[in-house]
Amino acid sequence: MTKDVIALTPEMPDLPTLLAGLYAGGPDLGVNTTADGAVVQLCAPDGRPLVSVETPILVQVPGETTRLLDHPVADGPVWWTEARASTAVAEAARLAGSFAGRLATVLGGTVWPPEAATTDVVPLTTDVSAIPAPATGSPAVDVLTATTAVVIQDRPLIAMTSWLSDALRSATGSNRALQIVTPPTARLTLPTRTALRGLPNRWVVQDPEHGYYDGLSGAVLHWKNGTFTPVQDEQGATRVAEAFAPVPDTGDRQLILTLRTRHAADENLVLGLALETTLRHLTVAPPAGWSTAEPVNLPWSTRQLTDLARTRAPRPTWLVAVGHPGRPALATLRVLRTPAGVEEDITLALGYGGDETPPLDAVEELATVLDAEHGLVTLLTSLRAARRDLTVPPSLEAPPVPVAFTLGSAEAEAIGQARAGRPPLGLLPTRLSLASRPALHYPLGDGTDPDAWSTFQRLIRHLSTPRQTQRN
């Protein structure tokens, strides 16, 4: 398994400190840079990378290290310096631990995982010349074939780090699948879960008793022709692993809001306000922070978020945002330039324990505000039985159940108020204003009836049917 080691320090590691850590293997090992200097590598004498270290980042968001590592640190900002060891060389993991331990010793910080920390010199005894050279220059990718980039992770929570984000982007750009291999004790963050949605990308769980299986579908997998593929029986059906058992219902719930907004593309546009409004409405507080990867390291700022999206336009921008520690809240936001303007696709999840009540009664008022002030196109609200901490285990989880669907006023007008306002389903929407062009809010249930999906699908088919077809 790959060994990821993180030094958490109150001060930024300067160049002399980084070099002191990198020479944990003695003077015979070399140091070079890659990714335009963003990654520093400790290398064997033949140039083979042993440990790759990403540029330190300042995490200024409260609770973020605890969320991702279950490793609380002292209050205040912390520098996160992550080292990734090669899986091909036995000493690489101990070299990564010694690098992180030296940084923490010099700067007064801590190491995750704690047992990896050391300051020992780790001599290279492996004959690296007998080991095939890696087929990829990406530090995150452990195995690269013609069709697949395989990333091996052994951390308890698999976050969408910049390492992983770069690996996904590179794999997509070369028409490869990204497949992440973990032990069965690992869980995914929601951004990682979202990124792996859709084949051929996979979460591959390596179970010591049951072999390999897909952590999201349960399909039994095997390595064939350079990729992990499902094992099929004689009838061609895919088998489901025994380990992919249903998760017991603990009473935890996740409230999930999926919304799209649309704005005119002008110089006064400020992005992120719809997400901020949503979190304020449901939790009182705005987002705590945002970033282009995990850990989320920047304090919440709609101005900085907008500036980043402008510099990347017309390319899309993908971001992560988190709430404050008291209420688990995690969102992904995708900004996209379209012929109609600038659109924001937002998925927000909030976690609630068995003794907490998700604020379903607040959604209608929220939808009214989003339509009046933030260009709401659609809003789907759903509820699911899932972990309060918003992480994804490699087990069968119940799908979300729709609670309500809201059609923004402009979208309802484009469809036709008569058609949108009177679906032939016995499902009368609530008009969210007294104006002649109101937004329409369709109640679908309380989040406990799976049949709500059928009702929602019939509603979407009705709203999507061209007017001429309906008249016929």
Side-chain angles (χ1 to χ4, degrees), residues 302-445:
T302 55
R303 179 186 60 80
Q304 292 179 352
L305 184 156
T306 303
D307 289 345
L308 176 66
R310 286 186 189 279
T311 61
R312 293 187 173 185
R315 295 171 298 162
T317 296
W318 184 88
L319 305 168
V320 185
V322 295
H324 291 270
R327 167 65 58 204
L330 193 57
T332 59
L333 185 154
R334 187 170 184 260
V335 180
L336 188 65
R337 185 71 167 89
T338 71
V342 179
E343 298 186 353
E344 294 176 284
D345 285 333
I346 302 168
T347 300
L348 169 65
L350 300 105
Y352 298 87
D355 58 347
E356 299 173 309
T357 302
L360 300 181
D361 55 354
V363 172
E364 184 175 319
E365 181 182 349
L366 168 63
T368 303
V369 175
L370 290 174
D371 180 68
E373 301 178 7
H374 301 294
L376 179 67
V377 178
T378 57
L379 167 63
L380 174 63
T381 303
S382 56
L383 195 66
R384 70 180 305 181
R387 295 174 61 107
R388 183 183 186 273
D389 65 8
L390 306 180
T391 63
V392 182
S395 307
L396 179 62
E397 290 189 305
V401 177
V403 172
F405 178 71
T406 307
L407 196 64
S409 55
E411 198 73 4
E413 182 70 14
I415 293 172
Q417 286 283 343
R419 176 158 57 109
R422 291 190 291 273
L425 305 167
L427 184 68
L428 295 178
T430 301
R431 297 165 64 93
L432 296 188
S433 78
L434 299 177
S436 60
R437 299 172 51 190
L440 300 176
H441 184 73
Y442 304 85
L444 299 171

Side-chain angles (χ1 to χ4, degrees), residues 269-293:
L269 174 62
V270 178
L271 299 169
L273 291 175
L275 174 58
E276 179 176 315
T277 296
T278 301
L279 261 180
R280 284 187 183 276
H281 198 85
L282 299 176
T283 71
V284 182
W290 72 284
S291 186
T292 56

Side-chain angles (χ1 to χ4, degrees), residues 285-303:
W290 72 284
S291 186
T292 56
E294 295 177 290
V296 174
N297 66 312
L298 299 172
W300 178 250
S301 170
T302 55
R303 179 186 60 80

Side-chain angles (χ1 to χ4, degrees), residues 103-457:
L103 261 61
T105 298
V106 172
L107 301 174
T110 61
V111 173
W112 180 93
E115 63 274 13
T118 179
T119 58
D120 296 341
V121 173
V122 182
L124 181 63
T125 59
T126 299
D127 181 7
V128 295
S129 64
I131 301 173
T136 173
S138 171
V141 176
D142 296 282
V143 178
L144 188 70
T145 71
T147 61
T148 305
V150 178
V151 176
I152 303 173
Q153 294 265 271
D154 66 347
R155 52 212 293 174
L157 189 60
I158 313 302
M160 184 47 61
T161 62
S162 57
W163 300 97
L164 203 52
S165 179
D166 288 344
L168 176 61
R169 185 164 46 250
S170 297
T172 302
S174 60
N175 294 317
R176 288 181 170 94
L178 178 69
Q179 298 185 342
I180 303 174
V181 181
T182 76
T185 53
R187 290 168 285 122
L188 306 183
T189 65
L190 283 179
T192 305
R193 167 67 181 90
T194 302
L196 290 179
R197 181 177 294 136
L199 299 176
N201 297 336
R202 288 189 187 276
W203 176 17
V204 181
V205 178
Q206 186 178 15
D207 190 286
E209 297 182 4
H210 302 278
Y212 296 99
Y213 68 95
D214 190 304
L216 299 176
S217 71
V220 176
L221 303 173
H222 62 164
W223 182 257
K224 184 178 180 181
N225 297 329
T227 193
F228 284 100
T229 60
V231 176
Q232 297 180 336
D233 60 22
E234 295 180 355
Q235 286 72 42
T238 300
R239 295 193 291 115
V240 176
E242 294 180 12
F244 194 72
V247 176
D249 189 352
T250 63
D252 286 4
R253 293 292 182 270
Q254 292 178 8
L255 178 62
I256 303 172
L257 294 93
T258 305
L259 61 144
R260 169 170 288 190
T261 64
R262 183 179 297 135
H263 319 274
D266 62 52
E267 61 182 11
N268 297 318
L269 174 62
V270 178
L271 299 169
L273 291 175
L275 174 58
E276 179 176 315
T277 296
T278 301
L279 261 180
R280 284 187 183 276
H281 198 85
L282 299 176
T283 71
V284 182
W290 72 284
S291 186
T292 56
E294 295 177 290
V296 174
N297 66 312
L298 299 172
W300 178 250
S301 170
T302 55
R303 179 186 60 80
Q304 292 179 352
L305 184 156
T306 303
D307 289 345
L308 176 66
R310 286 186 189 279
T311 61
R312 293 187 173 185
R315 295 171 298 162
T317 296
W318 184 88
L319 305 168
V320 185
V322 295
H324 291 270
R327 167 65 58 204
L330 193 57
T332 59
L333 185 154
R334 187 170 184 260
V335 180
L336 188 65
R337 185 71 167 89
T338 71
V342 179
E343 298 186 353
E344 294 176 284
D345 285 333
I346 302 168
T347 300
L348 169 65
L350 300 105
Y352 298 87
D355 58 347
E356 299 173 309
T357 302
L360 300 181
D361 55 354
V363 172
E364 184 175 319
E365 181 182 349
L366 168 63
T368 303
V369 175
L370 290 174
D371 180 68
E373 301 178 7
H374 301 294
L376 179 67
V377 178
T378 57
L379 167 63
L380 174 63
T381 303
S382 56
L383 195 66
R384 70 180 305 181
R387 295 174 61 107
R388 183 183 186 273
D389 65 8
L390 306 180
T391 63
V392 182
S395 307
L396 179 62
E397 290 189 305
V401 177
V403 172
F405 178 71
T406 307
L407 196 64
S409 55
E411 198 73 4
E413 182 70 14
I415 293 172
Q417 286 283 343
R419 176 158 57 109
R422 291 190 291 273
L425 305 167
L427 184 68
L428 295 178
T430 301
R431 297 165 64 93
L432 296 188
S433 78
L434 299 177
S436 60
R437 299 172 51 190
L440 300 176
H441 184 73
Y442 304 85
L444 299 171
D446 61 0
T448 62
D449 183 6
D451 289 341
W453 270 119
S454 297
T455 303
F456 173 65
Q457 290 168 350

